[in-house]
Amino acid sequence: MKSYKKELWFNTTKKIEFINITGKVQETINESGVKEGLILVNPMHITAAVYVNDAESGLIEDYEKWLEELAPYHGDYKHNLTGEDNAHAHLKRQLMAHQVVHAITNGKLDLGPWEQIYYAEFDGQRKKRVLVKIIGE
Amino acid sequence: MKSYKKELWFNTTKKIEFINITGKVQETINESGVKEGLILVNPMHITAAVYVNDAESGLIEDYEKWLEELAPYHGDYKHNLTGEDNAHAHLKRQLMAHQVVHAITNGKLDLGPWEQIYYAEFDGQRKKRVLVKIIGE
Amino acid sequence: MKSYKKELWFNTTKKIEFINITGKVQETINESGVKEGLILVNPMHITAAVYVNDAESGLIEDYEKWLEELAPYHGDYKHNLTGEDNAHAHLKRQLMAHQVVHAITNGKLDLGPWEQIYYAEFDGQRKKRVLVKIIGE
């Protein structure tokens, strides 16, 4: 069994930002040499999500608006009494399911035709990272 | 280490449909010969979810109604400007967490007494598929 | 390849309860002897979630209040016609994404600085359990 780990780093320039990381995840598989296995893609931050959906800009705008409706920035949050203003981000990231596991088959991410892996940051404007862990052979 | 992959295909006849796939997932484990490991069950479509919960028809009606409240079919969605009418389905599937990983122990899905694996389609009336990937030994 | 399985048991004293299980999960990794691999942490109950977020009491209060808004205890639920009163719990647990997979690196849970693993019970006052499955070497 082989295992391989890599942290992917990003400069997020906006508070809320959606970054397609599918290419970087595939590159990590290439580096690992794993042909058959599983890959975990997990944000190392608790105000961010890794999720899979369409690379369509309208849908991404829909997600941003909808998440703001279900978990608004302005709210009577206890967490914000700590001096933070990011309680909403801890909520939003749970709605998006926050992490993904995918199959590696023949050395490739085994995805449906429209599945793309996104990093969604809800409290950005800082350097952020995503953990990729691969096991297989 | 062994690995095994299979695509499970379904004919969805309704737009929204919940299909219990626990039996088909167990059959796939049997075919793989894996006794100890992990199994990923992931929809290859981005308007569908694989989730785990109760095989109780009332609860499934509750899910359908509740998801429609939180992510309604009718809405001012940018994604639907592409000609689609399925933005709501891309939202609903995120709420259900969309994919599952489970343990295989002694050749069996290692589930609690009420855990059942469901494929939930939110934009059906087409052939659809689910990726199963197993690693273990 | 090694595999290791353990069930973690808890006495939940309240209907809704959030329990930090990060230490118990790390102990399970220690027992397994696995240095590089993946770990699944999955509630064996369908009214509960395992999720990752901050160990901050204000945030936990925010989650409880917010989940009650999105999936209220009182509602016109078909599931409750079976004699149960826990339909809301089956809904809430889906919103929290319900299970996690994490990396094991050098024998340690490979988490970001604020990532903590929680068991969230939404229909407690009973003994409850979480399945931990580890594969790696």
Side-chain angles (χ1 to χ4, degrees):
Chain A
M1 202 202 80
K2 277 185 192 172
S3 70
Y4 189 76
K5 174 212 168 149
K6 189 175 183 183
E7 292 179 8
L8 307 177
W9 285 83
F10 307 96
N11 278 307
T12 58
T13 57
K14 292 186 289 181
K15 275 289 182 185
I16 296 187
E17 195 165 339
F18 292 73
I19 303 169
N20 188 333
I21 64 174
T22 317
K24 283 186 189 295
V25 172
Q26 180 61 53
E27 283 170 27
T28 308
I29 295 171
N30 298 347
E31 292 164 20
S32 75
V34 168
K35 299 300 180 196
E36 299 293 328
L38 291 176
I39 181 168
L40 166 72
V41 190
N42 183 64
M44 300 186 75
H45 308 278
I46 52 185
T47 57
V50 170
Y51 75 94
V52 162
N53 218 299
D54 203 355
E56 197 279 302
S57 62
L59 181 65
I60 289 168
E61 286 184 60
D62 293 336
Y63 277 137
E64 188 171 340
K65 185 181 161 201
W66 173 68
L67 290 168
E68 181 59 24
E69 288 164 7
L70 294 186
Y73 175 81
H74 293 286
D76 182 22
Y77 299 119
K78 292 270 169 57
H79 181 59
N80 290 351
L81 300 177
T82 64
E84 297 279 2
D85 71 342
N86 65 7
H88 76 108
H90 292 275
L91 274 47
K92 286 183 169 92
R93 90 93 170 228
Q94 296 303 136
L95 291 178
M96 292 301 276
H98 100 268
Q99 65 170 201
V100 296
V101 173
H102 280 283
I104 301 167
T105 303
N106 273 329
K108 300 286 180 201
L109 266 172
D110 200 340
L111 299 176
W114 304 100
E115 287 188 293
Q116 294 285 299
I117 305 175
Y118 271 84
Y119 177 72
E121 175 59 57
F122 302 111
D123 187 30
Q125 298 180 320
R126 281 179 276 184
K127 284 188 81 177
K128 297 280 183 168
R129 59 190 161 136
V130 168
L131 178 70
V132 179
K133 185 89 180 188
I134 296 167
I135 66 171
E137 62 183 16
Chain B
M1 201 201 80
K2 279 184 189 171
S3 70
Y4 189 76
K5 174 211 167 149
K6 189 175 185 184
E7 293 179 8
L8 308 176
W9 285 83
F10 308 95
N11 278 307
T12 58
T13 58
K14 292 186 289 179
K15 275 289 182 184
I16 296 187
E17 195 165 339
F18 292 73
I19 304 169
N20 188 333
I21 63 174
T22 316
K24 283 185 189 296
V25 173
Q26 179 61 53
E27 282 170 26
T28 308
I29 295 171
N30 298 347
E31 291 164 23
S32 75
V34 169
K35 299 300 180 197
E36 299 293 328
L38 291 177
I39 181 167
L40 167 72
V41 189
N42 184 64
M44 301 186 75
H45 308 280
I46 52 184
T47 58
V50 170
Y51 75 93
V52 162
N53 218 298
D54 204 355
E56 197 279 302
S57 62
L59 181 66
I60 290 168
E61 286 184 61
D62 293 335
Y63 277 136
E64 188 171 340
K65 185 180 161 201
W66 173 67
L67 290 168
E68 181 60 24
E69 289 166 5
L70 294 186
Y73 175 81
H74 293 286
D76 182 23
Y77 298 119
K78 292 270 168 58
H79 182 60
N80 289 352
L81 301 177
T82 64
E84 298 278 3
D85 71 342
N86 64 8
H88 76 108
H90 293 275
L91 275 46
K92 286 182 169 92
R93 91 92 169 230
Q94 295 302 137
L95 292 179
M96 291 303 275
H98 100 267
Q99 64 170 201
V100 296
V101 174
H102 280 283
I104 300 166
T105 303
N106 273 328
K108 301 287 180 200
L109 267 172
D110 200 341
L111 299 176
W114 303 100
E115 287 188 293
Q116 294 285 298
I117 304 176
Y118 271 83
Y119 177 73
E121 176 59 58
F122 302 110
D123 187 31
Q125 299 181 320
R126 281 178 277 185
K127 284 188 80 177
K128 297 281 181 167
R129 60 191 160 137
V130 167
L131 178 70
V132 179
K133 185 88 179 190
I134 295 167
I135 66 170
E137 63 182 15
Chain C
M1 202 201 80
K2 279 184 191 173
S3 69
Y4 188 77
K5 174 212 168 149
K6 189 175 183 183
E7 293 179 8
L8 308 176
W9 285 83
F10 308 97
N11 277 306
T12 58
T13 57
K14 292 186 288 181
K15 274 288 182 187
I16 296 188
E17 194 165 340
F18 292 73
I19 303 169
N20 189 333
I21 63 174
T22 317
K24 283 186 189 296
V25 173
Q26 179 62 52
E27 282 169 28
T28 308
I29 295 171
N30 298 347
E31 290 164 20
S32 76
V34 168
K35 299 300 181 196
E36 299 293 327
L38 291 177
I39 181 167
L40 166 71
V41 189
N42 184 64
M44 300 186 75
H45 308 278
I46 53 185
T47 57
V50 170
Y51 76 93
V52 162
N53 217 298
D54 204 354
E56 197 279 301
S57 61
L59 181 66
I60 290 168
E61 286 183 60
D62 293 337
Y63 277 136
E64 189 171 339
K65 184 181 161 201
W66 174 68
L67 290 167
E68 181 60 25
E69 288 165 6
L70 294 185
Y73 174 82
H74 293 286
D76 183 23
Y77 298 118
K78 292 270 169 56
H79 182 58
N80 289 351
L81 300 177
T82 64
E84 297 278 3
D85 71 342
N86 64 8
H88 77 109
H90 292 275
L91 276 45
K92 286 182 170 93
R93 89 93 169 229
Q94 295 303 136
L95 291 179
M96 292 302 275
H98 100 268
Q99 66 170 200
V100 296
V101 174
H102 280 282
I104 300 167
T105 303
N106 272 328
K108 301 286 179 199
L109 266 172
D110 200 341
L111 299 176
W114 304 100
E115 287 188 294
Q116 294 285 299
I117 305 176
Y118 272 83
Y119 177 72
E121 175 60 57
F122 302 112
D123 186 30
Q125 298 181 318
R126 280 178 278 183
K127 283 188 81 177
K128 297 280 182 168
R129 60 191 161 136
V130 168
L131 178 70
V132 179
K133 185 89 178 188
I134 295 168
I135 66 171
E137 64 183 15

